[in-house]
Amino acid sequence: MYAITGITGQVGGALATALLEAHQPVRAVLRDAAKGRSWAEKGCEIALAEMTDATALTAAFEGADGVFILPPSEFDPAPGFPEARAVIAAVKAALEAARPRKVVCLSTIGAQAEQPNLLTQRTLLEQALRGLSIPVTLLRPAWFMENFAWDVASARDQGVLPSFLQPLDKPVAMIATADIGRVAAELLRQEWEGLRVVELEAARRYSPDAAAATFAKILGRPVRAEAVPRESWGGLFKAQGMTDPIPRIQMLDGFNEGWIEFERGEAGAVKGKVTLEAVLRGLIGKA
């Protein structure tokens, strides 16, 4: 049996679906019983637990052949990442108590970076799980292709793809959430010893200019990428409701300056199957 956290999200849902399609038993770990009904109807066992509740997580993880950890992302963290640290402490305590046979944890590209940024939340998680005495896989995916959901309206209505990723012709490592879920399911069913790191991106990298061209192809209208001036980021993010935009700005700087990158580089990453065009077609269809 595989215990899956974050099952109501795109990655966790894709992972659980892949396991169910392979006729593997799944325990859905979630905090809202109402959201678990659809998964129960698909044949999942349901376990209720907050990600900061070590006791409930222990019960959810007990007896599992494998556990998938998808920690909640805090996009406007308080200084020092207290929200992430509370989750990390509970997850580590639960894994140590329940002792599942193996763990796959969703981390991120650039988790090894020493510079502080929004993704430091995953760095802290990796550091904590590295101390476990059970087999652990740290899955580090690239920039989510689904992040372009925020840009569909602008591309469709104004023919503009505003980009914080710069320069506009620089290819960026990206990945579809469907590929993350599929690969996570494969990893959970494997056997290994100790700690391993798996980095994951699409078969090719896409620049903002290439993304704009893909939007144009699908929409049948001209679409151009347009760099959002860096000096405007802080004001824009605060206008969106962020209290402290600095971690997000630092993360974007990391991608643009190249220090948020795979530890093994592009050649050392596992390659996904889903193209950016396929993802954008899906996003446009839902808009």
Side-chain angles (χ1 to χ4, degrees):
M1 184 274 298
Y2 298 98
I4 310 300
T5 66
I7 199 169
T8 58
Q10 294 182 85
V11 172
L15 163 58
T17 298
L19 290 173
L20 291 171
E21 289 176 348
H23 307 291
Q24 298 298 310
V26 173
R27 179 183 294 161
V29 183
L30 32 70
R31 61 181 183 178
D32 187 342
K35 292 184 178 180
R37 293 193 189 106
S38 62
W39 289 103
E41 291 170 358
K42 295 176 183 178
C44 293
E45 180 183 337
I46 304 298
L48 298 179
E50 295 279 351
M51 290 298 286
T52 53
D53 187 339
T55 300
L57 287 175
T58 298
F61 297 162
E62 282 180 343
D65 292 313
V67 171
F68 179 70
I69 301 297
L70 197 164
S73 296
E74 179 57 57
F75 295 103
D76 191 17
F81 305 102
E83 306 92 345
R85 291 180 188 276
V87 170
I88 292 166
V91 166
K92 183 179 181 182
L95 291 172
E96 288 176 331
R99 297 199 62 78
R101 290 187 57 242
K102 52 195 169 183
V103 178
V104 173
C105 175
L106 189 70
S107 183
T108 179
I109 184 174
Q112 79 283 357
E114 296 181 0
Q115 298 93 321
N117 70 94
L118 192 62
L119 303 182
T120 299
Q121 298 170 78
R122 298 294 182 261
T123 305
L124 296 170
L125 177 62
E126 285 198 7
Q127 291 171 350
L129 297 191
R130 286 174 183 271
L132 294 176
S133 59
I134 55 180
V136 173
T137 293
L138 302 173
L139 177 57
R140 295 177 177 173
W143 181 276
F144 285 16
M145 292 178 180
E146 283 75 9
N147 289 336
F148 285 111
W150 300 100
D151 306 310
V152 170
S154 178
R156 180 192 61 213
D157 302 336
Q158 283 84 46
V160 174
L161 176 66
S163 181
F164 296 96
L165 296 175
Q166 302 166 17
L168 298 178
D169 60 353
K170 178 185 177 183
V172 179
M174 299 184 186
I175 191 66
T177 53
D179 271 330
I180 303 172
R182 176 185 58 80
V183 170
E186 294 172 357
L187 295 173
L188 270 175
R189 298 182 66 188
Q190 295 173 1
E191 299 296 332
W192 72 95
E193 298 294 331
L195 176 84
R196 64 177 178 175
V197 175
V198 176
E199 298 177 316
L200 176 64
E201 66 173 310
R204 56 162 290 199
R205 294 190 170 191
Y206 300 90
S207 67
D209 282 337
T214 306
F215 266 116
K217 175 183 177 181
I218 299 167
L219 293 169
R221 64 159 296 169
V223 179
R224 73 178 191 280
E226 187 174 282
V228 180
R230 189 186 182 284
E231 60 270 18
S232 72
W233 293 359
L236 285 172
F237 297 156
K238 284 188 175 181
Q240 294 170 358
M242 294 190 73
T243 301
D244 180 10
I246 297 302
R248 184 178 177 187
I249 291 173
Q250 291 170 325
M251 177 192 71
L252 291 167
D253 283 343
F255 277 100
N256 295 341
E257 295 169 7
W259 50 265
I260 290 182
E261 176 56 271
F262 288 130
E263 198 164 12
R264 300 184 184 92
E266 183 176 359
V270 174
K271 307 303 180 186
K273 300 177 180 179
V274 182
T275 65
L276 180 61
E277 181 176 344
V279 170
L280 294 186
R281 286 188 181 277
L283 295 175
I284 292 169
K286 295 176 183 177

